Amino acid sequence: MDHLRALAGFQEQFLASTRRADPATPIPWLGRWSVEKLVVHLARIHHWAAGQARREQETPLGRGPFDLPQLYDECATELRETLAELDPDARAWALVDDGVPKAEQSGTVRFWHRRQAHETLVHLWDLRTAIGEPLAAHGFDPGDEAWVDCLDEVVTVMHPRQLRLERVARPAARIVFRPEGADASLTLGGAADDAPVVVIAGPARSLALLAWGRGVPDDDRLAAEGVEVEGDRTLAEAVVRAGLTP
């Protein structure tokens, strides 16, 4: 997957959506967040990530108020151009070196290609859903490859980091994600060898969004999308609710 190309496409869609959205529209599954807070958040994350890729502390953007489309466009462009200019294999500050002095960190710029593509994709779903537009509106379709990769990042990067930083306890069950059309299942790590196995199967997009905290296994929306649970649903819900991602 060409993450840098995907990032550009997701950013383009997000920017267009900010121009159609009412900033006061609430996003109920993100607590008390509104569209305005979501747009500012993603802009700040792009700005911060560009600094991380350059191994430089970013300059704070200030508190606002902001022209939302302008702010997002500027920060998205900064990130995209920064990542395009840098060698993907050059060293960067990344989320794989927690506790290691910055001078000794071994992350690469390529990490941010993937991380920011997925960050933008998930928040694009947040924005489109909040304003009542299907993600596939306006001829846009990220495809199953992007969603499987997004889910894989949770399993291989984000959840292991949650465990490493002791933000969550070891899962009480071995959660196996089985996305439709994928070559293989993805198993969440950290559970005991003798922990019960729970399989969560369904469309790649639904499983990725579930892993990113957009719902729990018993949500009516996810059931309607074809998500099925084989095993103890209570354990599956407890693991997901604990937080697989920050």
Side-chain angles (χ1 to χ4, degrees):
M1 180 175 172
D2 185 339
H3 293 105
L4 197 55
R5 181 177 180 181
L7 171 63
F10 300 158
Q11 287 179 330
E12 180 182 7
Q13 292 291 324
F14 191 91
L15 176 60
S17 296
T18 67
R19 292 178 171 138
R20 296 190 296 271
D22 180 346
T25 301
I27 305 177
W29 52 93
L30 293 180
R32 300 176 66 181
W33 279 31
S34 62
V35 163
E36 179 181 18
K37 186 169 181 63
L38 175 67
V39 175
V40 173
H41 164 78
L42 187 55
R44 290 187 190 279
I45 289 293
H46 284 341
H47 178 58
W48 168 78
Q52 297 292 295
R54 293 190 302 263
R55 294 165 61 100
E56 298 175 357
Q57 191 66 42
E58 79 282 5
T59 302
L61 294 175
R63 300 180 61 181
F66 301 105
D67 178 311
L68 295 181
Q70 179 181 345
L71 174 71
Y72 183 74
D73 190 20
E74 290 174 353
C75 292
T77 300
E78 176 197 13
L79 173 66
R80 194 168 58 252
E81 291 181 350
T82 295
L83 296 181
E85 290 168 1
L86 295 173
D87 179 350
D89 295 317
R91 291 173 63 188
W93 297 338
L95 305 182
V96 294
D97 294 305
D98 302 295
V100 178
K102 288 185 174 180
E104 301 173 15
Q105 291 191 8
S106 59
T108 66
V109 172
R110 194 184 305 278
F111 172 90
W112 292 108
H113 292 202
R114 188 190 199 203
R115 174 80 290 281
Q116 287 302 288
H118 296 159
E119 183 84 10
T120 309
L121 176 58
V122 172
H123 286 320
L124 175 60
W125 180 89
D126 288 332
L127 179 56
R128 285 275 182 86
T129 305
I131 65 176
E133 289 187 6
L135 194 61
H138 311 289
F140 173 71
D141 181 7
D144 285 346
E145 180 186 20
W147 288 113
V148 171
D149 194 52
C150 187
L151 175 61
D152 180 82
E153 187 192 33
V154 173
V155 171
T156 61
V157 178
M158 306 309 288
H159 183 250
R161 183 170 185 263
Q162 291 286 85
L163 291 171
R164 188 167 65 247
L165 296 178
E166 299 182 343
R167 291 174 172 171
V168 295
R170 296 179 67 185
R174 293 176 61 199
I175 304 297
V176 178
F177 292 103
R178 187 179 294 161
E180 295 174 359
D183 294 334
S185 298
L186 301 168
T187 302
L188 208 63
D193 291 341
D194 60 350
V197 176
V198 182
V199 177
I200 306 177
R205 183 185 72 174
S206 300
L207 299 192
L209 291 170
L210 175 67
W212 274 99
R214 273 56 176 180
V216 293
D218 275 341
D219 275 1
D220 291 341
R221 173 181 60 81
L222 292 174
E225 292 173 0
V227 174
E228 298 180 349
V229 179
E230 302 173 15
D232 191 322
R233 287 177 173 271
T234 302
L235 286 179
E237 182 170 334
V239 173
V240 172
R241 285 191 182 277
L244 307 185
T245 64

